[in-house]
Amino acid sequence: MTTIHEQAAVLALTRATHGEPWFYTARVILDAGGALKLLDGGCASRDEDDRAHAAAVAARVRPADLAWGREFIAAMRAGGVHLVTVLDAGYPGNLIWAYDRPPFLWVRGGFQAGDHRAVAVIADHDIGHAAAVARALAEAGLVVVAPLRGPVDAAVHRAALAAGGRTVGVPAGGVGEPAALGEYASVAERIAERGAVVSSCWPDTAPGSRAADCARVVTCGVADCLYVVDGADGGPSFRHVEEALHTGKHVFVSQRLHQEQPWARRAAARGGMTAVEDIDDLCLQAVNLVDMAPRTHTC
């Protein structure tokens, strides 16, 4: 089990990551075999840029930063939020393989073994179809992952929970920031009771473009594959597809989306995308896909 000292070091190193993507820090922490080892100069990467990044962030961390990290973790635990870092066995198994994995996640609720059998449901407008898909996936025994940003997402979570399933909700902001959940705070509470509300932002992060980018990485990363209901070129669904395909996740789309949106056909031409006939077809293919390969992490 990763100690609070190790977790505090992950937080301190991330906070010391000035002007660079956080996943650079996650990578060098893993290369070093731990955050404390990285602070002791233990970066084992053969990449010159990674070694330079490791040295730079480690040099910025002081003992007071580690004390701050321990106090921060304890305070969040007292509020019902726990920390999962890339060094923890509980870090999601699907996400650990992503090149842009975040160094940590703040979680209300919790992950379970088997949560890698997860499908993200992404939709911009069609509440009825999105909810029907979520219900069917939950009844098929799959975990449903979805953002938590608007009425369509809330309907996805409610439908999966009503079917007895587990869901993972990803707000576009921090788990401790009321504005990140807004009117969907009650939905978040229900999700946490049976699944997890997860963010890779600092807990007090307000919604914004960077927070939305982080949420998209987590949504696509935690899921084994995605199903996209609808969406216009350049919109939220489009950006989720770009992230998923870029990180090697398979994407399923509705026949209607494939037929009506040129961007979906362009994405399909790159490979890694399947247009399904209906919800039954999606469930069959999704179950087959998520059960193809075992995961090394517990979830």
Side-chain angles (χ1 to χ4, degrees), residues 189-283:
E189 290 181 7
R190 292 181 57 198
I191 294 169
E193 290 172 359
R194 199 182 298 169
V197 177
V198 184
S199 173
S200 63
C201 302
W202 296 112
D204 61 351
T205 302
S209 58
R210 188 181 183 282
D213 291 343
C214 292
R216 188 162 54 251
V217 169
V218 173
T219 301
C220 295
V222 169
D224 184 87
C225 56
L226 279 72
Y227 176 69
V228 182
V229 175
D230 59 9
D233 195 352
S237 291
F238 168 85
R239 290 192 288 271
H240 277 85
V241 169
E242 288 290 296
E243 168 67 23
L245 294 178
H246 196 51
T247 53
K249 297 296 177 77
H250 196 85
V251 177
F252 296 102
V253 297
S254 66
Q255 286 279 12
R256 186 182 68 180
L257 178 64
H258 186 263
Q259 292 168 358
E260 295 180 355
Q261 291 293 335
W263 71 262
R265 294 193 295 275
R266 291 196 302 269
R270 294 161 49 186
M273 179 183 285
T274 302
V276 293
E277 295 180 1
D278 52 29
I279 294 177
D280 289 340
D281 186 26
L282 168 67
C283 290

Side-chain angles (χ1 to χ4, degrees), residues 20-226:
E20 298 287 349
W22 285 3
F23 68 82
Y24 286 9
T25 299
R27 184 169 64 227
V28 296
I29 288 171
L30 289 170
D31 285 342
L36 294 174
K37 288 183 179 179
L38 181 61
L39 289 173
D40 287 337
C43 181
S45 175
R46 296 182 180 180
D47 185 271
E48 183 177 346
D49 290 339
D50 278 357
R51 291 197 303 273
H53 178 75
V57 294
R60 298 182 189 123
V61 175
R62 300 289 183 265
D65 298 318
L66 299 178
W68 161 82
R70 292 191 295 271
E71 293 170 2
F72 192 22
I73 294 167
M76 294 305 297
R77 285 179 180 172
V81 177
H82 65 275
L83 177 68
V84 179
T85 77
V86 288
L87 301 173
D88 292 298
Y91 193 88
N94 291 326
L95 185 57
I96 196 68
W97 299 108
Y99 81 91
D100 54 356
R101 59 190 166 241
F104 58 77
L105 301 171
W106 294 101
V107 183
R108 288 191 184 275
F111 294 111
Q112 293 183 0
D115 277 357
H116 66 276
R117 302 181 73 253
V119 180
V121 178
I122 308 298
D124 286 357
H125 304 294
D126 193 339
I127 290 179
H129 185 62
V133 166
R135 186 180 307 109
L137 291 171
E139 290 173 348
L142 299 174
V143 177
V144 173
V145 182
L148 192 51
R149 62 192 175 181
V152 179
D153 304 318
V156 165
H157 289 291
R158 290 189 183 107
L161 293 169
R166 285 174 54 77
T167 75
V168 176
V170 186
V175 294
E177 171 53 51
L181 297 174
E183 62 186 291
Y184 306 109
S186 61
V187 178
E189 290 181 7
R190 292 181 57 198
I191 294 169
E193 290 172 359
R194 199 182 298 169
V197 177
V198 184
S199 173
S200 63
C201 302
W202 296 112
D204 61 351
T205 302
S209 58
R210 188 181 183 282
D213 291 343
C214 292
R216 188 162 54 251
V217 169
V218 173
T219 301
C220 295
V222 169
D224 184 87
C225 56
L226 279 72

